[in-house]
Amino acid sequence: MEYLGQVLFLLLLVVGFGFFIKNIKKLIRNIKIGRDIDRTDNPSARWKNMIRVALGQSKMVKRPIPAILHIFVYVGFVIINIEMLEIIVDGLFGTHRVFSFLGVGYDALIGIFEVLAFLVIFGVVVFWIRRNIIKLRRFNQPEMEGWAKRDANNIIYIETVLMCFFLIMNAADYYLQSIGYTHYTAVGSFPISSFISPIFDGVNPATVAFIERFCWWGHIVGVMLFMNYLYYSKHLHIFLAFPNTYYANLQPQGEFNNLESVKKEVSLMMDPNADPYAAPAEPVGEPEKFGAQDVMDLNWVQLLNAYSCTECGRCTSSCPQNITGKKLSPRKIMMSTRDRLEDVSKILDANNGQFVDDGKTLLNDYITPEELWACNTCNACVEECPIDISPLSIIMDMRRFLVMEQSAAPVELNNMMQNVENNAAPWQYSQMDRLNWKDEN
C-alpha cells in the first residue's frame, strides 16, 4: 500500500500519454491524406513567420482587448504547466515540492505561476461573458450552434477548474506550512493563495491535507483529460498553430497558383515550334483531377489549416460577403473541411486504413456551390486569421473543380468565358467593334 499512489500515478501517465500519442498519429495520418505540396522553401522566412505570428501573436493585436485576454490565458496556461515537471517527479517518487531546493528561484516561480493562474481565470471569465452574456455576433453565427458552442464553453470551464485546483492546492499547502504540519515545510511564495488560505482556519489539519492532495490529483488528472480532449476540440490550435504558421504560404496574397497540367498545355499551344502531332515526351498516365471535390483532392497544408482553425470568427466577421448577407462564412468553410476529414478518418479506422466510398464529398454534401461562388477573393479572411489559415485556397480549388471538371460555373461567368474564347474580350461583340465608342460623340 505504501507505493499505491505512485503506481496509480504511473498508470495515469502511461494511459494519458499513450492515448495522446495514438491521437497524434491519427492526426498526422489524416493530414497526409491530402496531396503533396512543397513548403520547404525559404526556411529562415518560415521560422521568422512562426515566431512572429504563432509565438508573438502579432496578428492578434489588431483587436487589443481580446488580444490581451488571450495573452493572459495563453501565456498563463503554458507557463503554469511548467510546474507539471515537479508534479510528475513528485508523483513518481513520492516526494513533495521536490524543486524547492532552488530557493529564491523557486519562490519566484511559484509566485509567477499564481499571478498567471489568476489572470487565466480572469481572462476565461471575460471570454465566457463575451460568448454567453454579451453574445458577440461572430460567436453566434449558424455554424457555431451545437457542438462548436459547447466545445468553446467546455474549454473555458476546464481551464477555470484547473486553475482553481492549482490555487486551492497552494492555499492548503501554504496553510499547512504555516502551522508546521508533518512534511509541509515553508517553501514557495504564494501572492494569491495566501489570501485564500484563511478559509482553512479552524479546520482539522488532516482535512486540509486531504483537500491539498485532492486538488493535486485533480490538477494532474484534469491536465491529462484536457490534453486528450484537444484532438476533438478547436483548441488543437494550441499545438498546430506553430507548424501551421511555419508552412503558411509566403507568396503575395493576391497571387494564385497555376495548375501544372494546364500550364503545360498552354505552353504547348503558345509554342510556334511545337508539333501538335508529336508523341508526348512523358508517358501519359491517368488524367489529373482539376481542382478539389473532396478532402483527398486538397493538399496537406490545407488539411493542416482545417485542423488548426481556432473558430474565432475573425475571418467571417471581416468577410464583406458575409457582412452583406451572402451565404458565405470562411470559418464555416474550414469547419466543414475538418468535419469531412473526420468522417473520412472514421471510414479509415473502420477499414484498416482503406477508404471506402460513402457516397459523400466535401463539395455539395458539406460545402455548397452557393457558398463558393459568393466569395469575391478579396483575401480579407486570410489577412485576418491570427494563425495564417487560408479558407480562400480551398474555395478556389473547389471552384476549379466546378468549372474545369463539371462546367458548372454560374451563367454570368460562363457567358464571360465564352466571350473571351470567341471575341478575345469579356464583352459580347467582336474585336472589330471595340473602338466604336470613340465615334459615338
Side-chain angles (χ1 to χ4, degrees):
M1 293 296 292
E2 180 182 355
Y3 300 104
L4 179 60
Q6 293 162 248
V7 172
L8 290 176
F9 186 85
L10 177 61
L11 181 62
L12 172 66
L13 292 183
V14 170
V15 173
F17 282 106
F19 194 70
F20 177 73
I21 292 171
K22 178 183 177 182
N23 279 337
I24 291 299
K25 288 181 177 179
K26 182 190 294 187
L27 177 69
I28 294 172
R29 180 203 67 184
N30 294 349
I31 292 173
K32 286 184 175 180
I33 291 173
R35 291 182 176 183
D36 191 29
I37 185 174
D38 185 10
R39 288 288 173 85
T40 59
D41 61 304
N42 205 343
S44 61
R46 296 191 175 281
W47 280 107
K48 289 177 183 177
N49 191 63
M50 184 183 73
I51 293 170
R52 178 176 56 86
V53 178
L55 186 62
Q57 302 188 51
S58 60
K59 297 178 78 171
M60 288 286 293
V61 297
K62 293 180 180 180
R63 305 187 188 194
I65 293 177
I68 292 172
L69 294 173
H70 189 269
I71 289 173
F72 287 167
V73 176
Y74 168 71
V75 174
F77 200 80
V78 170
I79 292 180
I80 288 170
N81 280 316
I82 293 175
E83 198 196 15
M84 287 295 297
L85 296 173
E86 182 179 59
I87 290 177
I88 290 174
V89 174
D90 284 345
L92 290 175
F93 297 99
T95 53
H96 181 70
R97 295 193 178 272
V98 68
F99 293 157
S100 60
F101 68 87
L102 295 173
V104 176
Y106 185 79
D107 294 349
L109 280 175
I110 296 299
I112 292 170
F113 292 161
E114 290 218 334
V115 172
L116 289 174
F118 176 78
L119 291 176
V120 169
I121 293 173
F122 174 77
V124 295
V125 167
V126 175
F127 283 148
W128 186 88
I129 292 172
R130 283 159 55 87
R131 287 180 176 272
N132 300 281
I133 304 298
I134 300 176
K135 294 186 177 180
L136 294 181
R137 182 178 180 273
R138 67 187 173 101
F139 297 135
N140 288 276
Q141 296 286 309
E143 67 268 18
M144 295 304 292
E145 294 300 321
W147 167 249
K149 184 174 183 178
R150 293 196 302 273
D151 175 42
N153 283 328
N154 287 346
I155 293 294
I156 290 174
Y157 301 144
I158 292 171
E159 290 178 344
T160 302
V161 169
L162 287 177
M163 295 304 103
C164 286
F165 272 147
F166 174 73
L167 290 176
I168 294 172
M169 173 188 76
N170 280 356
D173 200 315
Y174 177 73
Y175 176 80
L176 294 170
Q177 289 180 26
S178 67
I179 63 174
Y181 184 74
T182 63
H183 61 278
Y184 291 89
T185 55
V187 293
S189 174
F190 305 94
I192 304 297
S193 58
S194 59
F195 290 97
I196 303 173
S197 64
I199 65 173
F200 298 119
D201 287 342
V203 179
N204 188 309
T207 303
V208 179
F210 173 81
I211 293 172
E212 188 272 336
R213 286 290 87 188
F214 178 84
C215 290
W216 185 90
W217 276 99
H219 186 75
I220 182 64
V221 171
V223 169
M224 290 290 109
L225 291 174
F226 178 79
M227 181 176 70
N228 285 289
Y229 175 77
L230 290 179
Y231 176 82
Y232 309 96
S233 166
K234 72 187 184 73
H235 272 64
L236 197 55
H237 74 270
I238 292 174
F239 299 119
L240 296 186
F242 294 92
N244 194 79
T245 50
Y246 181 85
Y247 292 113
N249 185 12
L250 299 181
Q251 301 303 316
Q253 288 184 2
E255 180 178 323
F256 292 104
N257 67 307
N258 292 313
L259 295 177
E260 286 300 319
S261 53
V262 176
K263 284 173 63 178
K264 290 178 182 178
E265 185 174 343
V266 172
S267 297
L268 181 64
M269 293 171 61
M270 299 292 290
D271 184 0
N273 300 316
D275 181 0
Y277 301 104
E282 300 176 359
V284 178
E286 183 179 348
E288 180 185 3
K289 180 186 290 185
F290 296 118
Q293 181 184 23
D294 212 342
V295 289
M296 293 76 77
D297 304 321
L298 298 171
N299 64 59
W300 65 266
V301 173
Q302 291 169 319
L303 301 186
L304 175 62
N305 280 183
Y307 273 124
S308 302
C309 179
T310 69
E311 298 178 12
C312 65
R314 292 183 177 216
C315 54
T316 295
S317 67
S318 301
C319 174
Q321 300 298 80
N322 184 272
I323 293 171
T324 54
K326 303 295 191 303
K327 191 179 180 180
L328 171 65
S329 168
R331 172 174 56 191
K332 192 263 181 185
I333 296 293
M334 302 313 302
M335 294 172 68
S336 294
T337 302
R338 183 173 60 207
D339 289 344
R340 174 57 180 165
L341 189 51
E342 276 300 292
D343 287 345
V344 169
S345 176
K346 292 173 184 176
I347 295 173
L348 295 177
D349 290 341
N351 295 279
N352 296 318
Q354 298 297 315
F355 178 71
V356 177
D357 188 5
D358 61 346
K360 295 181 179 181
T361 58
L362 179 62
L363 178 61
N364 294 319
D365 292 298
Y366 295 78
I367 299 173
T368 65
E370 181 183 355
E371 295 172 75
L372 300 175
W373 291 115
C375 177
N376 64 5
T377 68
C378 69
N379 265 301
C381 56
V382 183
E383 176 65 26
E384 284 296 317
C385 180
I387 55 173
D388 287 345
I389 291 171
S390 178
L392 179 59
S393 68
I394 295 177
I395 292 172
M396 293 304 296
D397 280 349
M398 297 180 75
R399 277 187 178 181
R400 278 173 168 164
F401 178 83
L402 287 170
V403 173
M404 303 182 74
E405 293 281 349
Q406 297 187 334
S407 299
V411 174
E412 297 83 359
L413 186 56
N414 276 332
N415 290 339
M416 185 272 291
M417 289 189 290
Q418 185 176 5
N419 289 332
V420 170
E421 182 179 3
N422 295 332
N423 305 320
W427 303 282
Q428 197 171 4
Y429 50 76
S430 71
Q431 298 181 54
M432 301 301 296
D433 296 330
R434 283 186 182 182
L435 297 178
N436 287 352
W437 61 271
K438 68 182 178 58
D439 299 323
E440 292 180 0
N441 295 324

